[in-house]
Amino acid sequence: MTQKDITFVADFLTEHFNEAPELYNRKGKYFNVERVGQYLKDEDDDLVSPPNTEGNQWFNFLKDNTHLKESPLLFPYYPEKSLHFVKRQMEGVIDQCLQKPADVIGKSVHQAACMSLYKISQSEDSTPQLFKLPFLWNDKTSNLHYVLFTMLENSISKIHILRRHTDTSRSVSNGILAVEFGNFLNNSINESSDSRCYSCLDAHFYDDETVTVVLKESVQQEGKERVLAQLPLS
């Protein structure tokens, strides 16, 4: 160690570990702890070396505006407590605020319809992920909810479109349908008549009347074609 290192350590010990007679009546608290670490302890005990708030603009502002200091919109300040203590207090307040809306929203949600998409064997140890790429869209003009999704396994070349009326008491025609991407795109990519099949990598609504899809050629070779296509719902 250099003399500079020794001086640095000595200064640190002198500053933070001086004997503190005022703490003698507290078990195990005869010395000031390092001033940063005390804020991170997950304890309810008061800080050994609380911060000096003199000249703090925020505290001076609250002091001059007592109506703000007592406002329920401001979290109370605990200058004698650690950050862990303040964090637990804040989490408790937030949980209390969110509990009532959660109860109200939970009671208002109910199942409007049930569709069986696929069945799996009960004997399988792990359930395969057959449902992929769900994308939601709300057509405010027609009051319709849309869900775009794909089914893996035997229908990777299809994209499914599910739609429901926002008024659950009303039905809608073509509530669920599938669009298959076969070889109809050949002319726009390659003039050859080779049969091709495309799987959907991604799908989003472009607007209320158009769906944008990213397609990939389903062949086991390099140079797979990628296609960006826009499909009118009509």
Side-chain angles (χ1 to χ4, degrees):
M1 297 178 64
T2 64
Q3 185 61 39
K4 185 177 180 181
D5 296 331
I6 297 175
T7 303
F8 177 79
V9 173
D11 290 343
F12 180 87
L13 294 175
T14 301
E15 179 179 359
H16 296 293
F17 291 90
N18 285 337
E19 290 191 23
E22 70 276 8
L23 302 177
Y24 284 172
N25 60 342
R26 297 178 59 179
K27 183 179 179 181
K29 301 293 184 180
Y30 297 156
F31 297 91
N32 288 334
V33 297
E34 197 271 317
R35 294 183 180 178
V36 174
Q38 65 176 344
Y39 290 101
L40 304 179
K41 289 185 177 181
D42 193 5
E43 300 176 352
D44 290 338
D45 293 340
D46 292 346
L47 297 177
V48 176
S49 299
N52 182 11
T53 58
E54 184 179 353
N56 186 293
Q57 295 180 356
W58 175 249
F59 296 126
N60 292 338
F61 175 72
L62 292 181
K63 186 177 180 180
D64 297 336
N65 298 271
T66 54
H67 62 285
L68 277 181
K69 185 177 181 180
E70 299 172 356
S71 171
L73 299 178
L74 298 180
F75 284 108
Y77 177 60
Y78 302 96
E80 306 290 334
K81 299 297 184 181
S82 69
L83 289 176
H84 278 285
F85 177 86
V86 177
K87 175 175 176 288
R88 287 199 304 271
Q89 293 290 319
M90 183 179 68
E91 287 176 341
V93 173
I94 293 176
D95 289 342
Q96 185 179 4
C97 291
L98 297 179
Q99 186 59 46
K100 187 66 174 179
D103 293 340
V104 174
I105 294 174
K107 293 177 181 178
S108 66
V109 174
H110 63 277
Q111 178 177 297
C114 180
M115 294 184 180
S116 178
L117 298 178
Y118 57 86
K119 293 182 179 181
I120 59 174
S121 173
Q122 296 292 335
S123 61
E124 295 185 21
D125 295 335
S126 59
T127 303
Q129 182 186 3
L130 301 179
F131 188 77
K132 185 183 178 185
L133 196 76
F135 179 77
L136 309 181
W137 180 265
N138 183 15
D139 183 351
K140 297 181 176 61
T141 303
S142 303
N143 295 324
L144 293 174
H145 284 311
Y146 285 91
V147 183
L148 299 179
F149 62 93
T150 58
M151 302 287 289
L152 303 182
E153 303 295 330
N154 296 327
S155 57
I156 59 175
S157 63
K158 297 178 182 178
I159 181 174
H160 296 74
I161 304 176
L162 168 68
R163 64 177 180 174
R164 299 285 301 179
H165 204 281
T166 54
D167 182 357
T168 56
S169 63
R170 299 179 59 183
S171 61
V172 60
S173 60
N174 295 325
I176 183 170
L177 55 87
V179 179
E180 184 169 8
F181 304 101
N183 58 3
F184 68 99
L185 291 171
N186 277 357
N187 291 335
S188 62
I189 296 178
N190 196 319
E191 293 300 327
S192 67
S193 58
D194 295 342
S195 176
R196 296 185 179 187
C197 185
Y198 295 88
S199 60
C200 182
L201 293 179
D202 201 0
H204 283 242
F205 268 84
Y206 181 76
D207 54 29
D208 289 341
E209 301 174 352
T210 310
V211 175
T212 301
V213 294
V214 179
L215 307 177
K216 179 185 70 172
E217 187 179 0
S218 300
V219 292
Q220 299 297 328
Q221 64 183 36
E222 294 185 3
K224 294 180 181 179
E225 298 284 4
R226 299 295 197 277
V227 179
L228 178 68
Q230 288 195 303
L231 307 176
L233 285 179
S234 58

